[in-house]
Structures are given as structure tokens and as C-alpha cells.
């Protein structure tokens, strides 16, 4: 049902907790495969991908091109794009499955997408400010940050032309989806302190 795509570059230290959080998707029966699309990592990213059973695709620096390649490789009818350090909160698999089933039942799979609430790891004002900015952006513009992740049907993704090439590819795809067409899921995605 669901394929996860992560664009990577020298992020081995972030991947282990992020991939561990995806295990509940496998046990819930909704996660089909995980693809890491890499731009020339020189650390252990490829080794971690192999150990975790992920597909590892060496690719170019352009993140939009990489994410499109990952989507083309994915086998699920729904795609979930995540940042390398994204740790999904307990219960994400159930919430995503409910969103997918509801969107398909109502015939809205080719019009809606979903994202997670943002939580930033750390203490003090900095992480809380990052979270507040993400909430404000979503409330005012109806658009999440790329760090919040994106769940979208393959048909909808293909209809939009996928991620555009060039700078800010993830933000530009979200803008194509459109205001108020991105459902906010209840679980949080926890990012490292510098990830906001």
C-alpha cells in the first residue's frame, strides 16, 4: 500500500532511528518498501540501507530529480516522502492507514495529501520556535514545511508531475498540491534540533 522515499547524503547517524520508527508500518501491514535515493554519500548510508532492507539508489545532487527517481522505483500505490532524520511518533501507521482508506473511500485520493505535526528535538526556545513557525505556516498558508513529510497517492503525484527539478523542489510540490488540500495527521514527526 505505502512506499517511503528518503533523499539522503552522508546521514548515517540520522537513519537508524528514522528507519526503526518505520518498523511499525511493516508490522501493521501498510509499509511495502523504503527507498533511499542518495547523492554520493561517503559515510555508511549505503551499508545501513542494505542492513535495513531498503532499496538504495545512487543518484544526482538535485533533490527533486532524486525524489522523482525514488517515486518511480517505489511499488506502493501511496508514497510517503520523509527527511533522513524524521522519527515518526508511535501510532503513525494506524493514522496513515485511516487517512488512505478514507481518501480512497470518498474518491479524494487524487485531490488530497497529508502531513505530520512537527516536533523539534531539544530544550529551550529554539526548538519551540521552530515548531511554532511550522504551525503558523500551516495555519496561515495551508502549506507544511518539507520537514513535516508528505503522504500522497501515486496517481495524484504523477498527475502533478512529481517533484520539480531545481531548488526548493519539495516546497514547490506542496504549492502545486494547493492550499487546504493537505490534511494534518495527529502523530508528530520528531526532527533533530537543527532540522527545523
Amino acid at each position: 500500500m505505502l512506499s517511503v522515499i528518503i533523499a539522503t547524503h552522508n546521514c548515517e547517524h540520522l537513519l537508524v532511528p528514522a528507519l526503526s520508527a518505520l518498523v511499525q508500518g511493516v508490522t501493521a501491514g501498510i509499509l511495502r518498501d523504503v527507498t533511499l535515493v542518495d547523492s554520493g554519500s561517503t559515510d555508511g548510508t549505503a551499508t545501513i540501507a542494505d542492513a535495513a532492507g531498503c532499496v538504495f539508489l545512487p543518484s544526482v545532487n538535485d533533490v527533486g530529480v532524486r525524489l522523482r527517481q525514488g517515486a518511480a522505483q517505489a511499488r506502493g500505490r501511496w508514497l510517503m516522502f520523509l527527511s533522513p532524520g524524521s522519527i515518526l511518533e508511535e501510532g503513525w501507521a494506524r493514522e496513515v492507514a485511516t487517512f488512505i482508506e478514507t481518501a480512497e473511500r470518498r474518491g479524494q485520493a487524487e485531490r488530497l495529501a497529508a502531513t505530520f505535526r512537527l516536533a523539534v528535538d531539544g530544550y529551550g526556545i529554539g526548538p519551540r520556535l521552530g515548531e511554532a513557525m511550522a504551525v503558523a505556516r500551516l495555519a496561515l498558508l495551508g502549506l507544511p514545511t518539507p520537514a513535516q513529510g508528505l503522504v500522497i497517492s501515486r496517481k495524484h503525484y504523477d498527475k502533478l508531475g512529481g517533484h520539480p527539478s531545481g531548488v526548493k523542489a519539495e516546497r514547490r510540490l506542496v504549492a502545486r498540491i494547493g492550499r487546504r488540500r493537505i490534511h494534518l495527521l495527529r502523530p508528530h514527526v520528531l526532527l533533530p534540533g537543527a532540522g527545523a
Side-chain angles (χ1 to χ4, degrees), residues 32-99:
R32 189 167 181 165
D33 56 285
V34 177
T35 301
L36 305 184
V37 192
D38 191 73
S39 66
S41 290
T42 55
D43 65 358
T45 298
T47 304
I48 290 169
D50 182 55
C54 302
V55 175
F56 183 81
L57 296 177
S59 187
V60 298
N61 285 334
D62 186 313
V63 72
V65 171
R66 283 191 282 152
L67 291 170
R68 275 198 320 270
Q69 289 173 340
Q73 174 75 30
R75 298 179 301 179
R77 68 179 191 273
W78 283 81
L79 308 172
M80 183 163 68
F81 296 94
L82 294 173
S83 299
S86 299
I87 301 172
L88 294 174
E89 186 176 50
E90 184 69 33
W92 74 264
R94 181 179 57 254
E95 185 79 8
V96 168
T98 300
F99 167 75

Side-chain angles (χ1 to χ4, degrees), residues 35-188:
T35 301
L36 305 184
V37 192
D38 191 73
S39 66
S41 290
T42 55
D43 65 358
T45 298
T47 304
I48 290 169
D50 182 55
C54 302
V55 175
F56 183 81
L57 296 177
S59 187
V60 298
N61 285 334
D62 186 313
V63 72
V65 171
R66 283 191 282 152
L67 291 170
R68 275 198 320 270
Q69 289 173 340
Q73 174 75 30
R75 298 179 301 179
R77 68 179 191 273
W78 283 81
L79 308 172
M80 183 163 68
F81 296 94
L82 294 173
S83 299
S86 299
I87 301 172
L88 294 174
E89 186 176 50
E90 184 69 33
W92 74 264
R94 181 179 57 254
E95 185 79 8
V96 168
T98 300
F99 167 75
I100 289 172
E101 290 165 9
T102 303
E104 289 179 345
R105 185 177 64 250
R106 293 181 178 172
Q108 297 177 322
E110 292 183 43
R111 295 186 319 147
L112 294 179
T115 192
F116 297 94
R117 296 176 193 276
L118 183 67
V120 181
D121 196 14
Y123 299 103
I125 191 74
R128 302 304 71 84
L129 188 58
E131 293 169 357
M133 288 172 55
V135 168
R137 176 180 164 80
L138 194 60
L140 295 172
L141 303 176
L143 303 172
T145 67
Q148 289 176 253
L150 182 69
V151 179
I152 187 170
S153 75
R154 178 185 295 279
K155 286 183 180 179
H156 192 189
Y157 182 77
D158 291 343
K159 194 165 127 182
L160 293 168
H163 283 86
S165 301
V167 296
K168 298 186 179 179
E170 294 163 298
R171 288 186 190 272
R172 288 164 53 209
L173 175 64
V174 165
R176 283 183 190 171
I177 295 169
R179 255 179 94 96
R180 311 292 176 211
R181 291 190 180 255
I182 300 177
H183 178 74
L184 185 62
L185 300 169
R186 282 181 288 196
H188 289 83

